[in-house]
Structure formats: C-alpha cells, structure tokens
C-alpha cells in the first residue's frame, strides 16, 4: 500500500473515535469556560494537554481554586500511562527516529493506541500512524473549538447538564469491568470512600491525588489480571487431576 492509502485507512479507522471525541471535547470546553477559562485558553489546553481525564481534572480543580502545583502533579499522575503506551506503540516500528518519537508521543491516547497496537504488521507505518492519531487529535481539538464557541450561546440548563458528560463516560467504563471483577469492585469502592473521607480534612485536589496513589498501590497487589487467574485455574485443575 502507498503512504496515501495507509493514511486514508488510518483516518477511516479513526472515525468511531472522532465521533466520541467531538462530543466529549465539546463537553470539556463547556466545563472549562464555566471554570473561567477564556476561549483561547480552552482551545490551547485541548491542543497541548491531549488527555480527556487530564483536561477535565484541570478544569474542575481550577474552578475549585486548586494550586498550580497540585494540578501539575495530578496531570503527571493521570497521564503517566502514556509513557508505557508510547513505548508499546514505538516498539511496533522497525525503525523510527528519536525526533519522530518525540513528536508522535504527544498524539498517543487510549483509543487510537488500542487500534494501532492490534493492527496488522503490514499497516505499521508513519502514514498509518498519522491518519489514525493525528485525525483523532484534530477531532478532539475541533470538539473543544465547538464547545468553547457554542457555550456563549447555549442555554444555561444545557451547559450545566454537559458538565456530567465525562463522569457518565467513566461510569460506563468502570461499572462493567467492576461488576465482572470482584477485586476491582472492592478497589473502586475503597477509592470512593477514601476520597470522600480525605476531602473532609484536606483540599479536594490533594484528596484526589492521595486517593489515586494509595488505591493504585493497593490495586497493584490486590487485583490479578484475568490471564493470571486462568493460569492458576488450569494449574489447580491439573493438580486435582493428578
């Protein structure tokens, strides 16, 4: 396939992502404008801090007058997974310069990552990457532009309702996984309870960060991946068969 064909294919594969990014990006922009961000700052934040959870975190904590230090630390923690994801993406390339790695790393997010890391080997190229990742980033930024401009004209009731968009998204992601894994459910409940308690004695931003660190540490030892559970189950069955 030519580079043009690979780019177009990557762009086609990004269409489902773009549809979701447009709506969530718009909701972020409405929330950011409500937190006091100007239209320009809202759009620049979307372009530079390319992370849905990170942008919503920054906007909500800015509205609560959290310190810059706390917000920056929170963004590093929330986006730390991108270091690992970038490594996995670049490992699929046979050869890629450090300059391209540094540039491409900015555009790596969860959904395009899932598609790229499961794509056929013959598709792995800079052209396909650009079609998939850059088009997704463009749709997210466009969503922010739409939200930032439209928020000045939308009814206040609609603006208020859009602020729960990301919470609904997280619920849709977390609940099915938690219901299918009892250990994960315990971690989720512990995080909710711990954050509620810590919010009573410290700033809400630091409460969230402390909760993330504590529950992530506990989860690393308490939860088990399904693959490991299956291996243990097979080993147990073999022992019983003996």
């Amino acid at each position: 396939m030519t580079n043009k064909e690979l780019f177009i294919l990557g762009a086609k594969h990004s269409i489902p992502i773009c549809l979701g990014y447009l709506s969530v990006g718009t909701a972020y922009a409405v929330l950011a404008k409500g937190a006091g961000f100007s239209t320009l700052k809202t759009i620049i934040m979307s372009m530079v801090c390319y992370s849905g959870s990170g942008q919503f975190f920054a906007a909500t904590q800015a509205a609560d007058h959290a310190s810059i230090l706390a917000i920056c630390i929170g963004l590093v923690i929330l986006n730390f997974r991108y270091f690992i994801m970038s490594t996995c993406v670049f490992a699929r390339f046979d050869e890629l310069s450090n300059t391209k790695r540094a540039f491409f790393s900015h555009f790596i997010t969860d959904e395009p990552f899932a598609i790229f890391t499961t794509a056929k080997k013959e598709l792995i190229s800079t052209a396909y990457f650009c079609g998939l990742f850059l088009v997704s980033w463009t749709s997210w930024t466009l969503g922010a532009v739409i939200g930032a401009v439209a928020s000045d004209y939308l009814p206040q009731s609609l603006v208020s309702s859009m602020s729960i968009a990301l919470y609904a998204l997280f619920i849709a992601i977390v609940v099915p996984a938690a219901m299918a894994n009892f250990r994960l459910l315990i971690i989720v409940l512990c995080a909710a309870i711990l954050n509620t308690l810590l919010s009573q004695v410290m700033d809400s931003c630091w409460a969230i960060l402390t909760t993330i660190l504590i529950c992530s540490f506990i989860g690393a030892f308490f939860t088990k991946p399904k693959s490991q559970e299956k291996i243990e189950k097979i080993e147990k069955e073999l022992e019983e068969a003996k």
Side-chain angles (χ1 to χ4, degrees):
M1 299 178 68
T2 64
N3 286 336
K4 181 179 179 180
E5 291 173 334
L6 286 168
F7 179 87
I8 293 175
L9 183 60
K12 287 181 178 179
H13 288 174
S14 73
I15 291 176
I17 299 173
C18 294
L19 295 176
Y21 277 9
L22 280 171
S23 58
V24 180
T26 300
Y28 146 73
V30 171
L31 180 64
K33 290 295 291 293
F37 285 43
S38 66
T39 298
L40 180 60
K41 289 180 179 178
T42 298
I43 297 172
I44 291 177
M45 168 72 85
S46 188
M47 296 174 65
V48 176
C49 180
Y50 182 34
S51 165
S53 57
Q55 290 179 34
F56 273 81
F57 173 81
T60 54
Q61 295 310 310
D64 290 339
H65 306 290
S67 67
I68 296 296
L69 176 62
I71 293 176
C72 289
I73 293 175
L75 290 175
V76 171
I77 294 174
L78 286 172
N79 298 330
F80 193 83
R81 67 189 185 280
Y82 293 137
F83 288 103
I84 301 173
M85 292 165 63
S86 296
T87 301
C88 294
V89 167
F90 298 144
R92 298 213 66 190
F93 286 94
D94 293 328
E95 184 179 354
L96 192 66
S97 67
N98 290 331
T99 301
K100 289 183 178 179
R101 290 172 187 265
F103 176 72
F104 286 165
S105 62
H106 174 69
F107 303 96
I108 296 176
T109 52
D110 305 72
E111 294 81 8
F113 165 81
I115 295 177
F116 189 85
T117 52
T118 56
K120 296 179 179 179
K121 181 62 178 177
E122 55 265 26
L123 298 181
I124 304 305
S125 62
T126 55
Y128 180 75
F129 180 98
C130 292
L132 178 62
F133 285 85
L134 294 183
V135 172
S136 299
W137 173 82
T138 301
S139 68
W140 178 267
T141 304
L142 180 59
V145 172
I146 294 173
V149 174
S151 62
D152 294 330
Y153 304 97
L154 294 174
Q156 185 57 42
S157 58
L158 180 58
V159 171
S160 300
S161 65
M162 292 182 70
S163 64
I164 67 170
L166 191 67
Y167 302 111
L169 175 62
F170 285 154
I171 290 173
I173 295 173
V174 172
V175 171
M179 297 305 293
N181 188 323
F182 180 73
R183 293 181 180 227
L184 180 59
L185 177 61
I186 295 298
I187 295 297
V188 171
L189 293 176
C190 287
I193 295 172
L194 180 60
N195 183 67
T196 301
L197 294 175
L198 291 177
S199 296
Q200 306 301 315
V201 296
M202 64 174 66
D203 182 81
S204 62
C205 186
W206 289 110
I208 292 174
L209 300 182
T210 304
T211 300
I212 292 174
L213 292 175
I214 293 175
C215 291
S216 296
F217 181 78
I218 295 174
F221 296 95
F222 184 66
T223 59
K224 293 182 180 180
K226 288 186 177 181
S227 57
Q228 183 178 346
E229 292 179 349
K230 289 180 179 179
I231 292 173
E232 292 179 354
K233 183 178 179 180
I234 293 173
E235 291 177 345
K236 184 178 180 181
E237 290 176 351
L238 290 174
E239 291 178 359
E240 292 176 351
K242 291 178 180 180

